Every structure is written in C-alpha cells, then in structure tokens.
Amino acid sequence: MNKKISSFLVVSLLLLVVIIYSAITGSIKMDTMEFIRALFGEENSNYTVIKDLRFPRIIVALFAGASLSISGVLLQAVMRNPLADAGVIGISAGASFVQLLIITLFPMMFFFTPLLAFFGGAFACFLVFMLSWKSGLNPLKIILVGIAINAMFTGLTEAFVTLCSYMNVMVGGVGGSNLSMRTWSDVRLISFYGLIGLLAALLIASWCNLLALQDKTAKSLGFNVTRARLFIAAIAVLLAAISTATAGVIAFVGLLVPHISRRLVGSDHKWLIPFSALAGALLILTADTLGRILVAPLEIPASTIMAIIGGPFLIFLIRKDK
C-alpha cells in the first residue's frame, strides 16, 4: 500500500514540475516565481501570451496522454494481451482515417469529429477481433492482425491525401501528431469527450479485474463476459479516438505506461487506471516539451520521440514474453 501511495505522490509531483517547466520554457521565458505570481493574478504581459499559446498545448498533451494510457490498460484487459495498444493494432489509424474524411469533406461537423472518429476506431477494433478470433483470443494473432489493420488504414489515409492533392482539394491538418498551435477549442473538444471516457473507465475498473479470470470462472460468478468486453472495448476506442482526433496518432503510449504502472501499483485496475492516467499525461507532456526545446526553434513531434522509445520497448516485451 505504501509503495502505491508513494508512486502516486512521486508521479503527481513530477507532473506538476513538468507542467510549470513546459509553461515557462520556450521562445518566451518566465521565472518560476514570476509565473506563479502571474498565475495568482499579478499583471504580466508574458504570462498573457503563454496562457493563450502554451496552456492549450499543455492541457491537450495531458488529456491525450491520459486517454491513450487508459485505452491501453482497457484493451490489454479485454484482449488479455500485454502488447495491445490502440496505435499498434490499428484503432488510432482507423480513427484518423475517418477524421480525415470528415474534416476534409464535411468541415461543418468539426465538433463531432471525435464521435465519428470513434466509429472508425470501433470498426478497426471489430476487424481485429473478428479476424483473430478462433475458439478464443490468441495474443500473437491479435498483434499480427492488428499490425495488418493498422497498415491498411494508414495506406487508405495516404491514398486519400494523394488523391486530394491531384484534385487540388485542401486536406485538413489531420494525421500529424505535432501538438503545436493547439487552441482552446481543441481543449474544449478533448476535455468534453475525454472526461466522459476517463470517468467511465474508473467506473468499470472492477469489470477489468474480473476479465483477468478464466471466462468459465467469471461466468460462474454471474458476470456477463461478452457484454463487459464490448463495453470496455467501446470506452477504450472512445479514448483512443478523442486523442487521435485532437493530438494525432501517437503510438506506444498505451503499451509503455500500463506495463510500467503494473510494476509500481500492481494489477488491480482500481489503482492501475488512475495511476496510468497520471503517468501517461506525464509521459506525453515530457515528450512534447523535449521535442520543443531539444532543437529549438525547430520541433520534434511527440509521436516521433514516442516511436524512438516505444519501438525498442515493444521488441523487449516480445522477447521477454517469448
């Protein structure tokens, strides 16, 4: 119990430090105490600029990291596979493709793009389940089918962008994962749908624990396994879709964070889900902040940094499971 609480405190403290550091670092700089005084009402012109330019980016990064991490936790519970991740098995790519279609062809439906992207992610998830199911869930087959689905939707996205360029049709800035130029409208978008998904995930934590049991054992306790899997998968897809719709495709977050979180707080989802939300928010904000300052004034997208970290980590997990 002490290890769990201390892990929560350490991650929360680190998250606060990174939020402040991210806010005061960049082309416009502020002293830490100056920033804190401005935060509590002191007039400061630099703070006004930072509030409009960096705060939306920070908040979007926090919600995206929390959403992707919890999505990974839920998918791994549903699929009984520690390698399941929305970015790896094609859910993010499916959501991104549908979002691209909507923003390019029906821009007036912008506020509903997360909801429509959800259906793209849900379709990708359905394909993974349908094509990998054979008398149960095979962990290796899930990953192989998921990689194929991911490649298919990525190819469709690239084909659509190419077709639009030939037809001189303006393509919305979708699919990229640079968190720059986020606005307060993006914050409202991801916070509205994201909070719904995050709260729903906390409410079904006990269901995730029951899915760790054998299906026969869970059913003997009166637990509807099929209904629970569908509902939990729907929440995971919603969280991945809202993150993709607002921050772009960022792979490996839902793979790294749950694995590390289990080592720190255990496998009880009542602890694992909130801790993963904090750790995921910390990871994405740290990646985005590093990408912004390492080669300034140029920027390295957070997704690029996550790919550099996540690729070797995925290989490590596969070799370890083998």
Side-chain angles (χ1 to χ4, degrees), residues 14-26:
L14 287 173
L15 183 59
L16 180 62
V17 170
V18 174
I19 288 172
I20 295 174
Y21 181 76
S22 181
I24 65 176
T25 306

Side-chain angles (χ1 to χ4, degrees), residues 220-242:
S220 69
L221 297 173
F223 183 62
N224 191 323
V225 175
T226 303
R227 185 181 65 184
R229 274 208 175 99
L230 289 173
F231 191 72
I232 294 170
I235 297 172
V237 171
L238 174 65
L239 289 168
I242 177 58

Side-chain angles (χ1 to χ4, degrees), residues 25-251:
T25 306
S27 55
I28 300 174
K29 294 181 172 63
M30 286 185 72
D31 179 76
T32 303
M33 294 309 300
E34 182 186 7
F35 172 77
I36 293 174
R37 287 196 300 270
L39 194 63
F40 286 98
E42 184 179 285
E43 283 290 327
N44 191 301
S45 57
N46 285 341
Y47 173 78
T48 304
V49 176
I50 286 173
K51 183 176 71 173
D52 291 331
L53 290 181
R54 290 190 196 148
F55 278 16
R57 179 173 185 160
I58 290 170
I59 295 171
V60 168
L62 294 175
F63 268 100
S67 299
L68 287 172
S69 300
I70 295 180
S71 177
V73 170
L74 299 182
L75 287 172
Q76 288 165 20
V78 168
M79 298 182 177
R80 291 178 180 167
N81 190 334
L83 303 180
D85 169 49
V88 173
I89 64 175
I91 293 174
S92 294
S96 180
F97 175 65
V98 172
Q99 184 206 4
L100 176 64
L101 292 180
I102 297 301
I103 288 186
T104 303
L105 303 178
F106 308 101
M108 72 290 296
M109 300 178 68
F110 171 75
F111 189 76
F112 297 101
T113 49
L115 198 59
L116 296 168
F118 164 79
F119 291 108
F123 180 62
C125 187
F126 168 74
L127 289 177
V128 172
F129 267 109
M130 183 182 71
L131 297 174
S132 60
W133 182 278
K134 188 176 181 181
S135 302
L137 291 172
N138 184 308
L140 179 60
K141 190 176 288 187
I142 286 174
I143 296 302
L144 294 176
V145 171
I147 291 171
I149 297 298
N150 184 51
M152 181 186 75
F153 278 111
T154 301
L156 286 171
T157 300
E158 293 175 356
F160 183 77
V161 171
T162 303
L163 181 63
C164 288
S165 66
Y166 280 128
M167 299 173 64
N168 293 321
V169 175
M170 182 65 70
V171 178
V174 182
S177 52
N178 197 325
L179 290 166
S180 63
M181 303 307 292
R182 299 301 98 182
T183 64
W184 287 108
S185 64
D186 294 312
V187 172
R188 287 190 290 272
L189 203 63
I190 196 169
S191 60
F192 176 77
Y193 290 101
L195 283 173
I196 292 173
L198 294 174
L199 290 173
L202 290 172
L203 291 174
I204 49 85
S206 58
W207 290 11
C208 296
N209 289 335
L210 287 171
L211 285 181
L213 303 172
Q214 292 293 327
D215 285 0
K216 290 182 180 179
T217 306
K219 288 177 181 177
S220 69
L221 297 173
F223 183 62
N224 191 323
V225 175
T226 303
R227 185 181 65 184
R229 274 208 175 99
L230 289 173
F231 191 72
I232 294 170
I235 297 172
V237 171
L238 174 65
L239 289 168
I242 177 58
S243 175
T244 301
T246 314
V249 178
I250 307 177

